[in-house]
Amino acid sequence: MNQLDPITNWYASLQAKERTMVAVMSVVIVLTLFYLLAWEPVYKGYEVERQKLESQKSILVWMKQAQQEVRNLRASGVKSTRRSSNTPVSIVIEQTAASSGLKSQVSKIESSGKNSSRVKLANVSFNQMILWINTIEQNHGIVTSSINIEKTDKPGLVNAKITFSKRE
């Protein structure tokens, strides 16, 4: 005895109109299941990835524009006003953080001798942090020797651990 025999016997006992209705409803159920279990998840995943791609393309366009702006600034001959100073790195960092409006985001400054310092920033604007780092390098000759940046839940804000050191 086949396992489908009871269903086959039941189907055969139906009238022609009922068999047509059962067949049509079976097709509708199969199509619905296909849509819900296969098509919709694939399509939604595709849409999410397409949106990510568009976002990445707009970031690429912005980066290319920024690259061109950097080239133009370098070509214009803008020179830095680097100060030669014996001021410890940690003091320079503290002063520039205050003047850049980042003092409240600096959670820790750790001196590693006169020529090196580690800084921990919390919930700082990424763009503002990059400008601050650039200012320190251009105006004081202090470079970033290592940096660890972590994103936060808020767009545009990051947590960062930065090690600065004076150029030799």
Side-chain angles (χ1 to χ4, degrees):
M1 181 171 172
N2 190 352
Q3 291 180 353
L4 294 177
D5 284 342
I7 295 173
T8 307
N9 292 338
W10 170 78
Y11 185 75
S13 70
L14 296 175
Q15 294 180 2
K17 285 185 178 182
E18 292 173 333
R19 275 188 248 153
T20 304
M21 281 183 18
V22 168
V24 168
M25 288 309 296
S26 297
V27 169
V28 168
I29 289 172
V30 167
L31 290 175
T32 302
L33 287 174
F34 172 76
Y35 175 80
L36 292 175
L37 298 175
W39 182 259
E40 186 178 27
V42 168
Y43 182 75
K44 283 185 178 179
Y46 168 78
E47 282 300 311
V48 166
E49 293 302 317
R50 189 185 61 73
Q51 289 173 353
K52 284 181 186 177
L53 177 63
E54 291 302 317
S55 173
Q56 293 297 320
K57 283 181 180 178
S58 67
I59 290 171
L60 178 62
V61 168
W62 175 83
M63 290 179 107
K64 285 183 178 180
Q65 291 171 347
Q67 177 186 27
Q68 188 59 41
E69 187 176 335
V70 167
R71 285 184 181 152
N72 291 342
L73 288 173
R74 283 185 181 160
S76 70
V78 175
K79 300 293 180 195
S80 68
T81 57
R82 189 173 296 138
R83 296 181 208 146
S84 176
S85 172
N86 288 330
T87 309
V89 172
S90 58
I91 305 255
V92 172
I93 289 170
E94 192 171 348
Q95 291 171 347
T96 57
S99 66
S100 297
L102 295 176
K103 188 162 180 79
S104 62
Q105 284 87 11
V106 174
S107 61
K108 187 177 190 180
I109 298 177
E110 221 177 81
S111 183
S112 304
K114 187 175 180 179
N115 293 330
S116 182
S117 189
R118 288 185 290 275
V119 180
K120 188 173 182 182
L121 300 164
N123 293 318
V124 64
S125 163
F126 178 79
N127 292 341
Q128 191 176 10
M129 179 186 69
I130 296 299
L131 289 173
W132 174 61
I133 291 171
N134 184 53
T135 300
I136 291 173
E137 181 177 348
Q138 295 297 315
N139 295 344
H140 301 280
I142 298 172
V143 295
T144 304
S145 53
S146 74
I147 188 166
N148 181 5
I149 301 173
E150 298 172 352
K151 69 178 183 174
T152 63
D153 294 336
K154 298 178 183 174
L157 297 182
V158 295
N159 295 326
K161 295 175 187 172
I162 308 169
T163 303
F164 291 100
S165 57
K166 278 192 179 180
R167 286 190 181 148
E168 297 296 322

